[in-house]
mmCIF file of all heavy atoms in Angstrom:
data_model
loop_
_atom_site.group_PDB
_atom_site.id
_atom_site.type_symbol
_atom_site.label_atom_id
_atom_site.label_comp_id
_atom_site.label_asym_id
_atom_site.label_seq_id
_atom_site.Cartn_x
_atom_site.Cartn_y
_atom_site.Cartn_z
ATOM 1 N N SER A 1 298.167 97.454 86.653
ATOM 2 C CA SER A 1 297.896 96.884 87.972
ATOM 3 C C SER A 1 298.573 97.665 89.094
ATOM 4 O O SER A 1 298.144 97.605 90.243
ATOM 5 C CB SER A 1 298.333 95.426 88.019
ATOM 6 O OG SER A 1 299.738 95.319 87.828
ATOM 7 N N ASP A 2 299.604 98.424 88.779
ATOM 8 C CA ASP A 2 300.330 99.182 89.807
ATOM 9 C C ASP A 2 299.713 100.546 90.072
ATOM 10 O O ASP A 2 300.117 101.229 91.021
ATOM 11 C CB ASP A 2 301.779 99.404 89.366
ATOM 12 C CG ASP A 2 302.563 98.109 89.305
ATOM 13 O OD1 ASP A 2 302.183 97.158 90.006
ATOM 14 O OD2 ASP A 2 303.549 98.055 88.545
ATOM 15 N N TYR A 3 298.725 100.952 89.267
ATOM 16 C CA TYR A 3 298.258 102.327 89.311
ATOM 17 C C TYR A 3 296.807 102.458 89.759
ATOM 18 O O TYR A 3 295.967 101.607 89.477
ATOM 19 C CB TYR A 3 298.386 102.957 87.919
ATOM 20 C CG TYR A 3 299.819 103.198 87.521
ATOM 21 C CD1 TYR A 3 300.574 102.183 86.935
ATOM 22 C CD2 TYR A 3 300.430 104.419 87.765
ATOM 23 C CE1 TYR A 3 301.905 102.390 86.598
ATOM 24 C CE2 TYR A 3 301.751 104.638 87.413
ATOM 25 C CZ TYR A 3 302.480 103.611 86.835
ATOM 26 O OH TYR A 3 303.784 103.822 86.502
ATOM 27 N N ALA A 4 296.534 103.547 90.469
ATOM 28 C CA ALA A 4 295.156 103.992 90.668
ATOM 29 C C ALA A 4 294.719 104.659 89.376
ATOM 30 O O ALA A 4 295.501 105.377 88.741
ATOM 31 C CB ALA A 4 295.071 104.955 91.839
ATOM 32 N N MET A 5 293.471 104.414 88.982
ATOM 33 C CA MET A 5 292.988 104.886 87.692
ATOM 34 C C MET A 5 291.727 105.713 87.845
ATOM 35 O O MET A 5 290.972 105.558 88.811
ATOM 36 C CB MET A 5 292.677 103.692 86.788
ATOM 37 C CG MET A 5 293.805 102.705 86.590
ATOM 38 S SD MET A 5 295.183 103.409 85.677
ATOM 39 C CE MET A 5 294.406 103.724 84.094
ATOM 40 N N GLY A 6 291.505 106.574 86.873
ATOM 41 C CA GLY A 6 290.286 107.368 86.877
ATOM 42 C C GLY A 6 289.773 107.589 85.473
ATOM 43 O O GLY A 6 290.538 107.524 84.500
ATOM 44 N N TRP A 7 288.493 107.814 85.384
ATOM 45 C CA TRP A 7 287.860 108.247 84.127
ATOM 46 C C TRP A 7 287.336 109.663 84.352
ATOM 47 O O TRP A 7 286.673 109.927 85.366
ATOM 48 C CB TRP A 7 286.699 107.334 83.737
ATOM 49 C CG TRP A 7 287.119 106.051 83.100
ATOM 50 C CD1 TRP A 7 287.220 104.837 83.710
ATOM 51 C CD2 TRP A 7 287.487 105.848 81.736
ATOM 52 N NE1 TRP A 7 287.627 103.889 82.805
ATOM 53 C CE2 TRP A 7 287.806 104.475 81.582
ATOM 54 C CE3 TRP A 7 287.578 106.680 80.614
ATOM 55 C CZ2 TRP A 7 288.200 103.922 80.350
ATOM 56 C CZ3 TRP A 7 287.982 106.134 79.406
ATOM 57 C CH2 TRP A 7 288.278 104.776 79.282
ATOM 58 N N PHE A 8 287.644 110.523 83.418
ATOM 59 C CA PHE A 8 287.185 111.902 83.454
ATOM 60 C C PHE A 8 286.487 112.207 82.140
ATOM 61 O O PHE A 8 286.646 111.466 81.152
ATOM 62 C CB PHE A 8 288.368 112.858 83.646
ATOM 63 C CG PHE A 8 288.993 112.769 85.002
ATOM 64 C CD1 PHE A 8 289.819 111.703 85.343
ATOM 65 C CD2 PHE A 8 288.753 113.739 85.961
ATOM 66 C CE1 PHE A 8 290.399 111.606 86.607
ATOM 67 C CE2 PHE A 8 289.313 113.664 87.225
ATOM 68 C CZ PHE A 8 290.136 112.595 87.540
ATOM 69 N N ARG A 9 285.736 113.288 82.106
ATOM 70 C CA ARG A 9 285.129 113.704 80.860
ATOM 71 C C ARG A 9 285.115 115.235 80.771
ATOM 72 O O ARG A 9 285.133 115.920 81.789
ATOM 73 C CB ARG A 9 283.703 113.153 80.722
ATOM 74 C CG ARG A 9 282.695 113.714 81.702
ATOM 75 C CD ARG A 9 281.373 112.980 81.571
ATOM 76 N NE ARG A 9 280.359 113.504 82.491
ATOM 77 C CZ ARG A 9 279.165 112.944 82.670
ATOM 78 N NH1 ARG A 9 278.834 111.847 81.997
ATOM 79 N NH2 ARG A 9 278.306 113.494 83.517
ATOM 80 N N GLN A 10 285.096 115.684 79.537
ATOM 81 C CA GLN A 10 285.053 117.122 79.303
ATOM 82 C C GLN A 10 284.098 117.404 78.158
ATOM 83 O O GLN A 10 284.348 116.991 77.011
ATOM 84 C CB GLN A 10 286.446 117.677 78.987
ATOM 85 C CG GLN A 10 286.486 119.190 78.917
ATOM 86 C CD GLN A 10 287.897 119.735 78.969
ATOM 87 O OE1 GLN A 10 288.871 119.029 78.748
ATOM 88 N NE2 GLN A 10 288.020 121.020 79.282
ATOM 89 N N ALA A 11 283.014 118.066 78.477
ATOM 90 C CA ALA A 11 282.043 118.476 77.468
ATOM 91 C C ALA A 11 282.477 119.806 76.873
ATOM 92 O O ALA A 11 283.255 120.555 77.480
ATOM 93 C CB ALA A 11 280.662 118.580 78.091
ATOM 94 N N ALA A 12 281.976 120.099 75.707
ATOM 95 C CA ALA A 12 282.343 121.340 75.021
ATOM 96 C C ALA A 12 282.014 122.535 75.894
ATOM 97 O O ALA A 12 280.896 122.656 76.399
ATOM 98 C CB ALA A 12 281.624 121.428 73.691
ATOM 99 N N GLY A 13 282.991 123.402 76.100
ATOM 100 C CA GLY A 13 282.778 124.607 76.875
ATOM 101 C C GLY A 13 282.740 124.423 78.374
ATOM 102 O O GLY A 13 282.450 125.376 79.112
ATOM 103 N N LYS A 14 283.026 123.216 78.821
ATOM 104 C CA LYS A 14 282.987 122.944 80.269
ATOM 105 C C LYS A 14 284.342 122.443 80.754
ATOM 106 O O LYS A 14 285.191 122.024 79.969
ATOM 107 C CB LYS A 14 281.899 121.921 80.580
ATOM 108 C CG LYS A 14 280.492 122.410 80.285
ATOM 109 C CD LYS A 14 279.465 121.398 80.764
ATOM 110 C CE LYS A 14 278.053 121.912 80.524
ATOM 111 N NZ LYS A 14 277.028 120.947 81.011
ATOM 112 N N GLU A 15 284.520 122.471 82.061
ATOM 113 C CA GLU A 15 285.748 121.981 82.654
ATOM 114 C C GLU A 15 285.742 120.446 82.714
ATOM 115 O O GLU A 15 284.690 119.823 82.735
ATOM 116 C CB GLU A 15 285.911 122.553 84.071
ATOM 117 C CG GLU A 15 286.146 124.044 84.099
ATOM 118 C CD GLU A 15 286.462 124.534 85.502
ATOM 119 O OE1 GLU A 15 286.405 123.737 86.453
ATOM 120 O OE2 GLU A 15 286.770 125.728 85.633
ATOM 121 N N ARG A 16 286.937 119.893 82.763
ATOM 122 C CA ARG A 16 287.068 118.451 82.913
ATOM 123 C C ARG A 16 286.551 118.049 84.290
ATOM 124 O O ARG A 16 286.859 118.695 85.298
ATOM 125 C CB ARG A 16 288.522 118.028 82.741
ATOM 126 C CG ARG A 16 288.727 116.539 82.630
ATOM 127 C CD ARG A 16 290.147 116.213 82.207
ATOM 128 N NE ARG A 16 290.458 116.767 80.887
ATOM 129 C CZ ARG A 16 291.553 116.446 80.196
ATOM 130 N NH1 ARG A 16 292.433 115.592 80.706
ATOM 131 N NH2 ARG A 16 291.779 116.986 79.021
ATOM 132 N N GLU A 17 285.773 116.962 84.324
ATOM 133 C CA GLU A 17 285.205 116.523 85.584
ATOM 134 C C GLU A 17 285.422 115.026 85.765
ATOM 135 O O GLU A 17 285.498 114.266 84.796
ATOM 136 C CB GLU A 17 283.697 116.815 85.647
ATOM 137 C CG GLU A 17 282.876 116.110 84.600
ATOM 138 C CD GLU A 17 281.378 116.387 84.733
ATOM 139 O OE1 GLU A 17 280.977 117.172 85.605
ATOM 140 O OE2 GLU A 17 280.610 115.792 83.944
ATOM 141 N N VAL A 18 285.502 114.623 87.021
ATOM 142 C CA VAL A 18 285.677 113.204 87.315
ATOM 143 C C VAL A 18 284.379 112.463 87.029
ATOM 144 O O VAL A 18 283.279 112.980 87.257
ATOM 145 C CB VAL A 18 286.121 112.991 88.780
ATOM 146 C CG1 VAL A 18 285.026 113.428 89.745
ATOM 147 C CG2 VAL A 18 286.512 111.554 89.020
ATOM 148 N N VAL A 19 284.508 111.273 86.490
ATOM 149 C CA VAL A 19 283.374 110.374 86.275
ATOM 150 C C VAL A 19 283.422 109.247 87.299
ATOM 151 O O VAL A 19 282.451 108.978 87.999
ATOM 152 C CB VAL A 19 283.387 109.798 84.855
ATOM 153 C CG1 VAL A 19 282.263 108.779 84.685
ATOM 154 C CG2 VAL A 19 283.255 110.913 83.827
ATOM 155 N N ALA A 20 284.576 108.586 87.377
ATOM 156 C CA ALA A 20 284.741 107.455 88.293
ATOM 157 C C ALA A 20 286.224 107.246 88.544
ATOM 158 O O ALA A 20 287.072 107.645 87.739
ATOM 159 C CB ALA A 20 284.117 106.187 87.713
ATOM 160 N N ALA A 21 286.523 106.617 89.668
ATOM 161 C CA ALA A 21 287.914 106.327 90.011
ATOM 162 C C ALA A 21 287.984 104.974 90.698
ATOM 163 O O ALA A 21 286.995 104.510 91.281
ATOM 164 C CB ALA A 21 288.480 107.417 90.909
ATOM 165 N N ILE A 22 289.156 104.356 90.625
ATOM 166 C CA ILE A 22 289.326 103.033 91.215
ATOM 167 C C ILE A 22 290.724 102.897 91.776
ATOM 168 O O ILE A 22 291.695 103.432 91.225
ATOM 169 C CB ILE A 22 289.016 101.939 90.162
ATOM 170 C CG1 ILE A 22 288.919 100.554 90.796
ATOM 171 C CG2 ILE A 22 290.040 101.968 89.031
ATOM 172 C CD1 ILE A 22 288.294 99.516 89.866
ATOM 173 N N SER A 23 290.826 102.192 92.890
ATOM 174 C CA SER A 23 292.135 101.975 93.511
ATOM 175 C C SER A 23 292.942 100.969 92.704
ATOM 176 O O SER A 23 292.403 100.264 91.845
ATOM 177 C CB SER A 23 291.944 101.467 94.948
ATOM 178 O OG SER A 23 291.215 100.239 94.934
ATOM 179 N N SER A 24 294.219 100.883 92.991
ATOM 180 C CA SER A 24 295.081 100.011 92.198
ATOM 181 C C SER A 24 294.699 98.537 92.335
ATOM 182 O O SER A 24 294.826 97.765 91.378
ATOM 183 C CB SER A 24 296.545 100.205 92.573
ATOM 184 O OG SER A 24 296.761 99.861 93.931
ATOM 185 N N ASN A 25 294.197 98.150 93.510
ATOM 186 C CA ASN A 25 293.795 96.740 93.660
ATOM 187 C C ASN A 25 292.357 96.496 93.237
ATOM 188 O O ASN A 25 291.868 95.369 93.298
ATOM 189 C CB ASN A 25 294.014 96.261 95.098
ATOM 190 C CG ASN A 25 293.097 96.930 96.090
ATOM 191 O OD1 ASN A 25 292.263 97.771 95.745
ATOM 192 N ND2 ASN A 25 293.251 96.580 97.348
ATOM 193 N N GLY A 26 291.673 97.548 92.802
ATOM 194 C CA GLY A 26 290.309 97.407 92.302
ATOM 195 C C GLY A 26 289.243 97.310 93.367
ATOM 196 O O GLY A 26 288.060 97.218 93.040
ATOM 197 N N ALA A 27 289.627 97.362 94.636
ATOM 198 C CA ALA A 27 288.661 97.137 95.718
ATOM 199 C C ALA A 27 287.833 98.369 96.052
ATOM 200 O O ALA A 27 286.722 98.261 96.555
ATOM 201 C CB ALA A 27 289.389 96.655 96.969
ATOM 202 N N MET A 28 288.382 99.540 95.800
ATOM 203 C CA MET A 28 287.713 100.786 96.177
ATOM 204 C C MET A 28 287.366 101.574 94.926
ATOM 205 O O MET A 28 288.201 101.714 94.022
ATOM 206 C CB MET A 28 288.616 101.624 97.076
ATOM 207 C CG MET A 28 289.082 100.892 98.332
ATOM 208 S SD MET A 28 287.721 100.380 99.382
ATOM 209 C CE MET A 28 287.165 101.978 99.982
ATOM 210 N N THR A 29 286.134 102.081 94.886
ATOM 211 C CA THR A 29 285.693 102.858 93.736
ATOM 212 C C THR A 29 284.995 104.132 94.184
ATOM 213 O O THR A 29 284.502 104.230 95.316
ATOM 214 C CB THR A 29 284.733 102.060 92.836
ATOM 215 O OG1 THR A 29 283.611 101.626 93.622
ATOM 216 C CG2 THR A 29 285.428 100.862 92.220
ATOM 217 N N TYR A 30 284.948 105.079 93.265
ATOM 218 C CA TYR A 30 284.272 106.365 93.490
ATOM 219 C C TYR A 30 283.510 106.722 92.220
ATOM 220 O O TYR A 30 284.007 106.478 91.111
ATOM 221 C CB TYR A 30 285.312 107.441 93.789
ATOM 222 C CG TYR A 30 284.743 108.847 93.748
ATOM 223 C CD1 TYR A 30 284.162 109.409 94.876
ATOM 224 C CD2 TYR A 30 284.768 109.589 92.576
ATOM 225 C CE1 TYR A 30 283.627 110.682 94.829
ATOM 226 C CE2 TYR A 30 284.234 110.860 92.520
ATOM 227 C CZ TYR A 30 283.660 111.400 93.653
ATOM 228 O OH TYR A 30 283.129 112.667 93.596
ATOM 229 N N TYR A 31 282.330 107.285 92.393
ATOM 230 C CA TYR A 31 281.530 107.724 91.249
ATOM 231 C C TYR A 31 281.019 109.140 91.470
ATOM 232 O O TYR A 31 280.627 109.490 92.589
ATOM 233 C CB TYR A 31 280.329 106.796 91.040
ATOM 234 C CG TYR A 31 280.715 105.394 90.660
ATOM 235 C CD1 TYR A 31 280.838 104.400 91.616
ATOM 236 C CD2 TYR A 31 280.992 105.071 89.332
ATOM 237 C CE1 TYR A 31 281.213 103.109 91.271
ATOM 238 C CE2 TYR A 31 281.366 103.794 88.965
ATOM 239 C CZ TYR A 31 281.478 102.820 89.949
ATOM 240 O OH TYR A 31 281.862 101.546 89.602
ATOM 241 N N ALA A 32 281.016 109.909 90.411
ATOM 242 C CA ALA A 32 280.353 111.202 90.460
ATOM 243 C C ALA A 32 278.857 110.959 90.654
ATOM 244 O O ALA A 32 278.305 109.959 90.172
ATOM 245 C CB ALA A 32 280.600 111.968 89.167
ATOM 246 N N HIS A 33 278.220 111.881 91.355
ATOM 247 C CA HIS A 33 276.789 111.711 91.645
ATOM 248 C C HIS A 33 275.984 111.566 90.364
ATOM 249 O O HIS A 33 275.003 110.803 90.316
ATOM 250 C CB HIS A 33 276.296 112.920 92.452
ATOM 251 C CG HIS A 33 274.848 112.847 92.795
ATOM 252 N ND1 HIS A 33 274.344 111.941 93.715
ATOM 253 C CD2 HIS A 33 273.790 113.542 92.331
ATOM 254 C CE1 HIS A 33 273.038 112.119 93.807
ATOM 255 N NE2 HIS A 33 272.673 113.077 92.979
ATOM 256 N N SER A 34 276.397 112.258 89.314
ATOM 257 C CA SER A 34 275.622 112.271 88.083
ATOM 258 C C SER A 34 275.626 110.920 87.363
ATOM 259 O O SER A 34 274.775 110.679 86.499
ATOM 260 C CB SER A 34 276.159 113.356 87.138
ATOM 261 O OG SER A 34 277.521 113.111 86.835
ATOM 262 N N VAL A 35 276.573 110.036 87.687
ATOM 263 C CA VAL A 35 276.656 108.756 86.991
ATOM 264 C C VAL A 35 276.437 107.560 87.906
ATOM 265 O O VAL A 35 276.356 106.416 87.434
ATOM 266 C CB VAL A 35 278.022 108.601 86.265
ATOM 267 C CG1 VAL A 35 278.290 109.808 85.376
ATOM 268 C CG2 VAL A 35 279.156 108.386 87.242
ATOM 269 N N GLU A 36 276.347 107.818 89.202
ATOM 270 C CA GLU A 36 276.204 106.714 90.148
ATOM 271 C C GLU A 36 274.946 105.907 89.842
ATOM 272 O O GLU A 36 273.873 106.469 89.614
ATOM 273 C CB GLU A 36 276.156 107.260 91.576
ATOM 274 C CG GLU A 36 276.453 106.226 92.634
ATOM 275 C CD GLU A 36 276.820 106.863 93.963
ATOM 276 O OE1 GLU A 36 276.572 108.072 94.127
ATOM 277 O OE2 GLU A 36 277.349 106.155 94.827
ATOM 278 N N GLY A 37 275.116 104.584 89.820
ATOM 279 C CA GLY A 37 273.991 103.713 89.495
ATOM 280 C C GLY A 37 273.855 103.421 88.015
ATOM 281 O O GLY A 37 273.130 102.493 87.626
ATOM 282 N N ARG A 38 274.538 104.199 87.163
ATOM 283 C CA ARG A 38 274.476 103.971 85.711
ATOM 284 C C ARG A 38 275.823 103.504 85.156
ATOM 285 O O ARG A 38 275.870 102.736 84.198
ATOM 286 C CB ARG A 38 274.065 105.257 84.985
ATOM 287 C CG ARG A 38 272.710 105.794 85.377
ATOM 288 C CD ARG A 38 272.303 106.954 84.474
ATOM 289 N NE ARG A 38 273.212 108.080 84.586
ATOM 290 C CZ ARG A 38 273.844 108.637 83.551
ATOM 291 N NH1 ARG A 38 273.680 108.159 82.325
ATOM 292 N NH2 ARG A 38 274.646 109.684 83.736
ATOM 293 N N PHE A 39 276.906 103.993 85.728
ATOM 294 C CA PHE A 39 278.252 103.674 85.235
ATOM 295 C C PHE A 39 278.949 102.755 86.224
ATOM 296 O O PHE A 39 278.741 102.848 87.433
ATOM 297 C CB PHE A 39 279.093 104.937 85.080
ATOM 298 C CG PHE A 39 278.667 105.863 83.965
ATOM 299 C CD1 PHE A 39 277.469 105.701 83.285
ATOM 300 C CD2 PHE A 39 279.495 106.917 83.595
ATOM 301 C CE1 PHE A 39 277.089 106.561 82.270
ATOM 302 C CE2 PHE A 39 279.137 107.785 82.577
ATOM 303 C CZ PHE A 39 277.924 107.605 81.918
ATOM 304 N N THR A 40 279.802 101.898 85.697
ATOM 305 C CA THR A 40 280.597 101.018 86.536
ATOM 306 C C THR A 40 282.038 101.018 86.050
ATOM 307 O O THR A 40 282.303 100.760 84.865
ATOM 308 C CB THR A 40 280.065 99.574 86.494
ATOM 309 O OG1 THR A 40 278.705 99.565 86.924
ATOM 310 C CG2 THR A 40 280.882 98.673 87.422
ATOM 311 N N ILE A 41 282.956 101.299 86.969
ATOM 312 C CA ILE A 41 284.383 101.242 86.651
ATOM 313 C C ILE A 41 284.929 99.916 87.166
ATOM 314 O O ILE A 41 284.549 99.449 88.243
ATOM 315 C CB ILE A 41 285.151 102.431 87.262
ATOM 316 C CG1 ILE A 41 286.597 102.451 86.769
ATOM 317 C CG2 ILE A 41 285.070 102.433 88.779
ATOM 318 C CD1 ILE A 41 287.360 103.739 87.156
ATOM 319 N N SER A 42 285.787 99.306 86.374
ATOM 320 C CA SER A 42 286.397 98.045 86.813
ATOM 321 C C SER A 42 287.805 97.965 86.256
ATOM 322 O O SER A 42 288.157 98.642 85.292
ATOM 323 C CB SER A 42 285.568 96.848 86.353
ATOM 324 O OG SER A 42 285.465 96.816 84.943
ATOM 325 N N LYS A 43 288.578 97.114 86.885
ATOM 326 C CA LYS A 43 289.990 97.001 86.536
ATOM 327 C C LYS A 43 290.292 95.538 86.275
ATOM 328 O O LYS A 43 289.991 94.682 87.103
ATOM 329 C CB LYS A 43 290.819 97.514 87.717
ATOM 330 C CG LYS A 43 292.148 98.138 87.419
ATOM 331 C CD LYS A 43 292.597 98.907 88.645
ATOM 332 C CE LYS A 43 293.947 99.551 88.410
ATOM 333 N NZ LYS A 43 295.050 98.695 88.802
ATOM 334 N N ASP A 44 290.852 95.256 85.132
ATOM 335 C CA ASP A 44 291.269 93.896 84.821
ATOM 336 C C ASP A 44 292.791 93.903 84.769
ATOM 337 O O ASP A 44 293.392 94.184 83.743
ATOM 338 C CB ASP A 44 290.678 93.443 83.482
ATOM 339 C CG ASP A 44 290.939 91.974 83.204
ATOM 340 O OD1 ASP A 44 291.916 91.417 83.759
ATOM 341 O OD2 ASP A 44 290.175 91.383 82.439
ATOM 342 N N ASN A 45 293.389 93.633 85.921
ATOM 343 C CA ASN A 45 294.846 93.704 85.985
ATOM 344 C C ASN A 45 295.505 92.644 85.110
ATOM 345 O O ASN A 45 296.604 92.843 84.600
ATOM 346 C CB ASN A 45 295.320 93.594 87.427
ATOM 347 C CG ASN A 45 295.009 94.845 88.231
ATOM 348 O OD1 ASN A 45 294.864 95.931 87.673
ATOM 349 N ND2 ASN A 45 294.889 94.701 89.546
#
């Protein structure tokens, strides 16, 4: 609950990339364009 969190992914032979991120209070989120509308990040403090 005290931390901002993120999900990243790394495919074989590729660099690590951001998937989604969320603020510590869960109110603000960010999504990579490639996953927007398909993925949802949430925080259960």
Side-chain angles (χ1 to χ4, degrees):
S1 63
D2 293 335
Y3 290 85
M5 305 293 296
W7 281 99
F8 291 76
R9 67 186 181 187
Q10 187 165 17
K14 295 186 178 181
E15 293 187 355
R16 191 170 298 191
E17 62 178 3
V18 65
V19 175
I22 191 166
S23 60
S24 62
N25 68 0
M28 304 300 290
T29 57
Y30 168 87
Y31 295 95
H33 180 70
S34 59
V35 307
E36 199 162 15
R38 299 188 298 125
F39 291 11
T40 302
I41 187 171
S42 60
K43 210 164 179 269
D44 188 336
N45 288 335

